Amino acid sequence: MEVFKMAANVESMFYVREVPWHGLGTRVEEALTSADALRIAGLDWLGEQKPIQVCGGNRIENFKANIRSTDGKVLGVVSDRYQIVQNVEAFDFTDELIGGDVRYETAGSLQEGKKVWMLAKMPSTKVVGDDVEPYLCFSNTHDGSGAIRICMTPIRVVCNNTLNLAFSGASRQWSTRHTGDLKYKMQEARLCLELAEKYMVGLASYADRLANTTITDEQLDKLLAEMFPVDEEKDGERKKNSAKKAKEEFMICYLRPDIAQFLHTGWGVVNAMSDMVTHTAPRRKTANYQENNWGRIMDGHPMLDKMAALVGAR
């Protein structure tokens, strides 16, 4: 196995074959079972809740500290209503949800265990003739900062682009807080599988409609002008150059061979934008841009959603 140096926000993780969005982690040759994924991702630890005391021994009421069992690391301070979902429970839940021989292609933790995730492969399908591999992503926080979240992440195989599209009639994610009857909520989350199937059906229908929607060169110019707007009178040269460069990057993606069959269609335009936001490095690399990329796997990318909305309105 090949090990890459960890960035500050990536504590531990593994990935299969190709270097992922952040270029970090432990490389494995094949997708892993949940037991192996838990261990190799460095998630084989428990969260424990401990009372909080101040100097003098007085206990702080109504709050507890979430502690990692292996090293005593404080993951976060939470209310006493907060219920921990253990990493192993998340894997067990995902195994049961998908069923069969579930395999994981990546899993890991961010921010010293405060945030964890896993990505499980679902059965492949076809979207307008292309092979698409749907993945179920489970993410969780142990510091009280976020909810338990499950989402669909379809990948177009030929170009490895994410198709995390927002469109009406189908949701691609479910979430719940760490309070209340979590066992009931996790049972409710089994509806996610139905949501996932509905989303994939909706995606296929949406893609078919866009593949049959003609986009002329003139219409594409207008779309790009809306995506990267510039006021010729008020905006400075820096913004104008940035917009010009963004349009050039888009056209490079649009003219790539894997989009040739959808050239001059709405689906081709949407896929080019997906290619651009999936694979093009940002012009300004902030300290946590790699983590932000992961966040966009969960939330979708605003530029992709904007382009999909513009094309869908044609």
Side-chain angles (χ1 to χ4, degrees):
M1 294 184 293
E2 183 180 356
V3 180
F4 289 83
K5 184 178 179 181
M6 296 286 105
N9 284 334
V10 179
E11 181 184 51
S12 62
M13 68 161 293
F14 78 89
Y15 64 89
V16 177
R17 295 181 300 274
E18 295 182 7
V19 179
W21 44 277
H22 39 60
L24 304 167
T26 300
R27 181 177 182 270
V28 298
E29 291 301 321
E30 296 180 348
L32 304 177
T33 63
S34 59
D36 289 336
L38 186 73
R39 175 175 53 84
I40 295 177
L43 299 178
D44 50 347
W45 47 265
L46 297 176
E48 300 173 345
Q49 290 190 326
K50 302 289 185 180
I52 304 173
Q53 293 180 322
V54 295
C55 294
N58 292 326
R59 183 175 295 186
I60 298 178
E61 300 296 330
N62 303 320
F63 288 92
K64 295 179 180 178
N66 283 350
I67 307 293
R68 181 158 55 187
S69 61
T70 51
D71 58 3
K73 173 72 180 178
V74 177
L75 302 177
V77 174
V78 298
S79 77
D80 55 10
R81 297 175 57 232
Y82 183 100
Q83 298 183 55
I84 293 175
V85 173
Q86 303 290 358
N87 299 333
V88 67
E89 291 176 328
F91 276 100
D92 288 345
F93 169 78
T94 309
D95 281 351
E96 183 180 348
L97 184 66
I98 298 177
D101 184 22
V102 182
R103 297 284 166 161
Y104 295 83
E105 299 216 352
T106 186
S109 72
L110 299 169
Q111 299 176 9
E112 299 182 302
K114 292 177 177 145
K115 298 180 181 180
V116 301
W117 82 89
M118 59 204 67
L119 198 68
K121 189 176 182 300
M122 299 180 71
S124 299
T125 186
K126 293 276 188 181
V127 174
V128 288
D130 280 341
D131 290 325
V132 171
E133 293 182 342
Y135 290 85
L136 193 71
C137 180
F138 187 110
S139 74
N140 188 25
T141 62
H142 291 293
D143 63 351
S145 65
I148 304 160
R149 302 177 66 192
I150 303 169
C151 80
M152 281 294 300
T153 298
I155 305 290
R156 184 172 175 238
V157 174
V158 68
C159 53
N160 202 35
N161 287 348
T162 58
L163 297 174
N164 295 342
L165 300 171
F167 52 86
S168 61
S171 173
R172 73 178 192 91
Q173 67 173 283
W174 172 91
S175 65
T176 189
R177 296 182 180 274
H178 289 78
T179 56
D181 188 345
L182 275 187
K183 288 186 177 179
Y184 172 78
K185 289 182 176 182
M186 296 298 274
Q187 289 286 341
E188 182 186 74
R190 282 162 176 75
L191 294 173
C192 288
L193 200 57
E194 296 178 20
L195 292 175
E197 292 170 354
K198 185 177 180 181
Y199 180 84
M200 292 307 299
V201 170
L203 177 63
S205 176
Y206 174 82
D208 184 68
R209 179 168 66 84
L210 292 196
N212 287 285
T213 299
T214 299
I215 300 293
T216 65
D217 291 342
E218 182 181 1
Q219 289 173 325
L220 181 57
D221 287 341
K222 291 180 180 179
L223 286 170
L224 293 179
E226 291 184 73
M227 284 297 305
F228 310 107
V230 171
D231 188 317
E232 292 296 338
E233 295 182 0
K234 297 181 180 180
D235 291 334
E237 290 303 311
R238 184 172 182 177
K239 183 174 181 179
K240 291 177 183 178
N241 289 334
S242 179
K244 180 182 177 182
K245 185 172 177 58
K247 292 176 183 178
E248 290 172 349
E249 290 173 353
F250 174 88
M251 290 307 299
I252 289 172
C253 296
Y254 185 59
L255 296 174
R256 283 179 178 157
D258 59 82
I259 295 178
Q261 62 176 318
F262 301 117
L263 203 62
H264 304 303
T265 72
W267 190 236
V269 171
V270 168
N271 270 274
M273 182 55 69
S274 174
D275 195 0
M276 181 177 172
V277 301
T278 300
H279 301 299
T280 302
R283 295 182 193 87
R284 295 180 62 190
K285 292 187 178 182
T286 60
N288 62 343
Y289 88 93
Q290 295 164 334
E291 183 181 344
N292 290 339
N293 282 348
W294 173 251
R296 287 166 183 150
I297 293 291
M298 294 297 297
D299 299 328
H301 198 291
M303 288 177 63
L304 178 57
D305 283 342
K306 181 179 179 180
M307 179 62 90
L310 289 173
V311 173
R314 295 286 163 177

